[in-house]
Amino acid sequence: MGKVTGFLEYERQHEAYEAPLTRVKHYKEFVAALSDADAKIQGARCMDCGIPFCNNGCPVNNIIPDFNDLVYRQDWKSAIEVLHSTNNFPEFTGRICPAPCEAACTLNINKEPVGIKSIEHAIIDKAWAEGWVTTQIAKHKTGKKVAVVGSGPAGLAAAQQLARAGHEVTVFEKNDRIGGLLRYGIPDFKLEKWQIDRRMRQMEAEGVTFRTNVFIGKGELPAYIGNTARETITPDELKEQFDAVVIAGGAETPRDLPVPGRELQGVHYAMDFLPQQNKVNAGDKLPGQLLAKGKHVIVIGGGDTGSDCVGTSNRHGAKSVTQFELLPQPPEAENKPLVWPYWPVKLRTSSSHEEGCQRDWSVATKRFEGKNGKVEKLVAARVEWKDGKMVEVPDSEFEMKADLVLLAMGFTQPVSQVLAAFGVDKDPRGNVRASTEGEKAYYTSVDRVFTAGDMRRGQSLVVWAIREGRQCARSVDAFLMGSSELPR
């Protein structure tokens, strides 16, 4: 806990944001970490609540009261040791996690919760600045070799843990750069990519080998999958070279919208749009880049990916940006006595929305129309929900100008070509079937093949991917060595 009476004395302090009119002119991060003094005050608000529900609210089970108290006492070096004991990459989660821990904070019952995410952000930024983030090289090598397929947060977490256990780890990535959706799904203004590169250098020093432009599987990938692979390795070939394999390729199949006019030029998946800007920011030349400049943009899907499309479109200089959501508009504030300590359904306005966006709810797209093969307008209708079923409101059809339509309705399952090549069993949703408990935790139906992250659990959060990567690493280590000292 922090100060005994701190929660009574201090209000929640929010991180400082650069003004919308200036930040839309660049792709750099615009959120400033708390100063030491402000972080101390925020840490002081942590209550002596007896049962820290925030620990359970956090998927990686961060020891939140402990590092809050350490920040209050200005013992920053101990704070990063506590934070790193459960979380390999707090610079990622401190920036892009939606903070379910804060929803579970006891103070959130009747006041604003402790700014746990902002404290985490401040701890890791200070730790890097002070040189406290160092390599952890295994004292003894096991002689065992592990392949990790996919370099998103689950794959990276598993790889780092396994390398620290003394195994020889190689990470395979089909794209030209390491990071998965951290690299190409999240805009730079939310997470600058040098953050990933810095962790890569640490992991390489710890013994992890990275191989990019390598596809693990059989056949060709769909056009919507970012793939620059110049080499293909089959699962059988991979198993011949390694003692264990972790497949952590994420859930990359986007949900489509099969309505008339879907084939028109200008209707794209969000993941056709977002990675291109990240590549350009990294210095790549893309002559045919998909741009929103001067266009009427419609984003279909009200989640984080849709919000990222809004922010990127504004930076391109879109003429207008509209975001549609099929579900009804949530309440502005949750009923805390009813939902606490669980994640509440409430209206969330992101920084991208603040930069300029027209939002609308309970809207179903009926068709796209255009001329000469190009989309020009979207035709939609109002819907309402009765007895759990969606019903179109009579005489509610309307149309809007649309030069660019971005489909951001989530992801349904992993890439089927990869799962078919490995021959693993799938659950009813098309994900890899694997339990998270017992001696066979994260073990697939195929010998020596494990899985973690969105490839196993379906579309989820970065923080869940890190948790699964860490737990999977422990299971792999126990399989190879008979037991494991890695934390679960």
Side-chain angles (χ1 to χ4, degrees):
M1 61 171 291
K3 187 178 180 181
V4 175
T5 57
F7 70 98
L8 297 172
E9 298 175 28
Y10 307 118
E11 298 299 321
R12 179 182 170 106
Q13 293 175 291
H14 296 273
E15 294 173 313
Y17 281 38
E18 185 180 347
L21 289 177
T22 57
R23 70 187 189 228
V24 294
K25 298 177 181 178
H26 63 78
Y27 292 91
K28 299 292 185 182
E29 292 180 18
F30 52 81
V31 180
L34 295 178
S35 66
D36 289 7
D38 287 342
K40 174 183 173 72
I41 291 174
Q42 193 59 214
R45 298 181 69 234
C46 188
M47 304 170 66
D48 186 12
C49 58
I51 300 175
F53 289 90
C54 56
N55 284 15
N56 290 333
C58 173
V60 292
N61 301 125
N62 279 338
I63 312 170
I64 294 165
D66 290 38
F67 67 64
N68 283 345
D69 180 67
L70 290 165
V71 169
Y72 166 63
R73 301 178 189 282
Q74 297 290 278
D75 187 354
W76 292 89
K77 193 169 185 179
S78 296
I80 187 57
E81 291 172 358
V82 170
L83 181 52
H84 264 154
S85 70
T86 57
N87 187 349
N88 294 67
F89 314 119
E91 65 268 42
F92 302 159
T93 54
R95 285 168 166 79
I96 60 177
C97 180
C101 55
E102 294 185 10
C105 174
T106 303
L107 190 55
N108 191 45
I109 292 175
N110 62 351
K111 296 187 72 175
E112 283 199 280
V114 175
I116 301 167
K117 178 180 174 180
S118 64
I119 293 174
E120 181 177 345
H121 184 185
I123 293 172
I124 185 59
D125 279 14
K126 189 174 185 67
W128 278 112
E130 296 292 337
W132 298 332
V133 183
T134 58
T135 57
Q136 299 180 32
I137 300 173
K139 295 180 180 179
H140 305 287
K141 298 295 183 181
T142 65
K144 302 292 186 179
K145 299 171 66 176
V146 182
V148 176
V149 180
S151 68
L156 291 178
Q160 186 166 58
Q161 292 296 96
L162 288 165
R164 290 175 175 177
H167 305 303
E168 184 180 335
V169 182
T170 302
V171 176
F172 294 90
E173 171 59 53
K174 68 180 182 302
N175 282 310
D176 55 350
R177 295 181 178 91
I178 294 296
L181 286 184
L182 289 171
R183 174 75 65 175
Y184 286 134
I186 297 172
D188 288 16
F189 55 80
K190 290 174 66 175
L191 177 70
E192 292 184 31
K193 307 316 173 201
W194 59 266
Q195 304 271 2
I196 305 171
D197 298 335
R198 184 171 58 182
R199 277 294 179 182
M200 279 182 58
R201 290 192 293 270
Q202 181 200 36
M203 293 175 65
E204 286 173 332
E206 292 173 348
V208 177
T209 299
F210 293 100
R211 292 184 59 183
T212 56
N213 295 309
V214 180
F215 171 53
I216 307 298
K218 296 178 182 178
E220 294 185 3
L221 287 172
Y224 56 78
I225 297 296
N227 177 34
T228 58
R230 294 189 292 269
E231 179 184 0
T232 297
I233 300 176
T234 67
D236 289 340
E237 292 171 332
L238 200 67
K239 290 177 66 178
E240 289 176 4
Q241 301 172 36
F242 294 89
D243 299 294
V245 178
V246 176
I247 50 174
E252 294 189 273
T253 305
R255 182 172 284 107
D256 205 351
L257 186 61
V259 298
R262 169 64 180 88
E263 75 287 350
L264 290 172
Q265 184 180 341
V267 183
H268 300 271
Y269 291 117
M271 289 304 293
D272 291 334
F273 177 69
L274 294 173
Q276 290 190 359
Q277 187 58 55
N278 287 3
K279 286 176 176 287
V280 170
N281 292 345
D284 292 356
K285 303 295 182 183
L286 296 181
Q289 183 187 358
L290 190 60
L291 292 169
K293 184 175 181 179
K295 296 179 180 178
H296 295 286
V297 179
I298 295 180
V299 179
I300 300 177
D304 289 340
T305 303
S307 172
D308 293 342
C309 289
V310 170
T312 302
S313 296
N314 281 325
R315 282 161 177 76
H316 283 180
K319 185 175 293 186
S320 69
V321 183
T322 304
Q323 186 177 22
F324 288 145
E325 170 58 62
L326 187 65
L327 297 173
Q329 180 175 344
E332 292 192 7
E334 73 271 34
N335 184 341
K336 288 185 177 182
L338 179 66
V339 300
W340 180 89
Y342 300 107
W343 184 249
V345 175
K346 66 176 183 179
L347 181 63
R348 304 176 194 277
T349 299
S350 73
S351 59
S352 292
H353 295 140
E354 293 171 351
E355 293 162 2
C357 174
Q358 179 67 39
R359 304 167 73 186
D360 205 349
W361 289 265
S362 297
V363 174
T365 302
K366 299 189 71 172
R367 63 186 180 275
F368 304 112
E369 296 181 0
K371 296 178 181 177
N372 302 319
K374 294 183 179 180
V375 68
E376 292 184 341
K377 64 181 178 181
L378 173 148
V379 179
R382 302 284 172 187
V383 296
E384 56 185 0
W385 296 80
K386 295 181 178 179
D387 300 323
K389 296 181 179 180
M390 185 182 72
V391 180
E392 182 176 329
V393 176
D395 302 319
S396 67
E397 189 171 296
F398 66 96
E399 60 182 49
M400 290 191 68
K401 289 184 178 180
D403 304 308
L404 176 62
V405 178
L406 300 172
L407 307 181
M409 303 175 295
F411 302 86
T412 58
Q413 61 188 33
V415 180
S416 59
Q417 288 89 332
V418 175
L419 303 193
F422 274 96
V424 294
D425 288 348
K426 295 185 287 187
D427 66 18
R429 296 186 299 159
N431 302 318
V432 182
R433 185 188 298 277
S435 172
T436 61
E437 303 294 334
E439 295 181 358
K440 291 275 189 175
Y442 297 95
Y443 206 138
T444 73
S445 59
V446 176
D447 185 41
R448 296 188 289 122
V449 177
F450 298 76
T451 188
D454 289 6
M455 187 167 264
R456 190 204 68 82
R457 66 179 293 115
Q459 176 186 315
S460 190
L461 304 174
V462 166
V463 69
W464 272 109
I466 294 173
R467 173 199 173 115
E468 294 220 347
R470 288 171 61 89
Q471 292 185 335
C472 180
R474 177 183 170 86
S475 188
V476 173
D477 186 40
F479 166 77
L480 294 174
M481 308 304 296
S483 63
S484 178
E485 295 182 357
L486 288 174
R488 191 175 189 278

